[in-house]
Amino acid sequence: MSLLSIGRSVGNWWQGDLAYRFRRSPVAILAALVGLALLVAAMGAPVLAPYDAFDPAAANAADARLPPGVEGMFGDVYLLGTDPQGRDMLSAMLYGLRTSLVVGLASVAAAALAGVLLGLMAGYFGGVLDAFIMRAADVQLSFPAILIALLIDGVARTAMPQELHAELAVPILVAAIAASFWVQYARTVRGLVLVERGRDYVLAAKVTGVSTPRILLTHILPNVLGSVLVIATINLALAILTESTLSFLGVGLPSTQPSLGSLVRIGNEFVFSGDWWISALPGLLLVLLSLSVNIFGDWLRDALNPKLAS
């Protein structure tokens, strides 16, 4: 695809109804700008961070628990202070933000892929397959998402050596969170497919001999992606909070891989010692990230709903 065609596509989208509603919503614009700024900061952590938070040599124990703006023993100025390990808080927060976003985005993508595929099959084929998938979804809905993630992570810790689990901590965490969120996609897509499979364009495709996979992927799927996008946007904040909760409980990522939840957990032990910045600053960043994603997701849900967008 050429740059000219991409530019035309972007221009056509910008003149569309969704972009018009976006331009008319200052709250959505602010949420999108904040989310985009945090995403750029997270992805640019290796460039923007003054120190490498993954390098133990970058931490100086002599500068541990320094308040924001205080100069260290060797002349280093820590803009947001240091943690109990002597790590620069700004660097740790940027790398922790990147970790939380990567885990959140990957888990939402995995949950959406699994849920959409299962929902398409359940809604289109029906019968025993539909009953099996929906009963499995009902069983999972009876358990809190955090409990399912804790169970999967606990099984992985028991079945794997400690060194292997530490290396695969991020994929395991992504799988645990994704396994907690696929049900929403499957149930939503199934309901939409039950409506779409009886429409004229689907019946016409069947009559002309179009294969079932092609009907599902090229005819029905595009008509359910709007709802999937809304769920994914809202679930992103939930996935980030779930990862932070697991890390806060000490069962998420290892301490050598900073995340916003683990930073809050470390600082929580020193709150009453007056070292408020160790937990307060990562906590505020987590709130800002979750709030911006939630606000944008709420706006997107309303904008894509014809009854609410009028």
Side-chain angles (χ1 to χ4, degrees), residues 230-248:
V230 172
I231 298 174
T233 305
I234 297 176
N235 269 358
L236 177 58
L238 295 176
I240 293 172
L241 290 175
T242 302
E243 181 277 325
S244 299
T245 302
L246 292 174
S247 297
F248 181 83

Side-chain angles (χ1 to χ4, degrees), residues 7 28-29 56 60 83 151 153 174 197 211 240 245 247 276 279 307:
I29 294 175
N60 186 1
D83 67 359
L151 176 63
D153 183 79
V174 168
R197 71 178 185 180
S211 63
I240 293 172
T245 302
S247 297
W276 56 268
S279 61
K307 295 180 181 180

Side-chain angles (χ1 to χ4, degrees), residues 156-177:
R157 287 176 181 270
T158 304
M160 295 182 180
Q162 185 176 359
E163 297 78 7
L164 180 60
H165 183 273
E167 294 178 2
L168 299 177
V170 172
I172 292 173
L173 193 57
V174 168
I177 298 175

Side-chain angles (χ1 to χ4, degrees), residues 283-298:
L284 288 175
L285 183 60
L286 180 61
V287 170
L288 184 62
L289 175 61
S290 302
L291 188 62
S292 63
V293 174
N294 268 331
I295 290 175
F296 185 78
D298 289 341

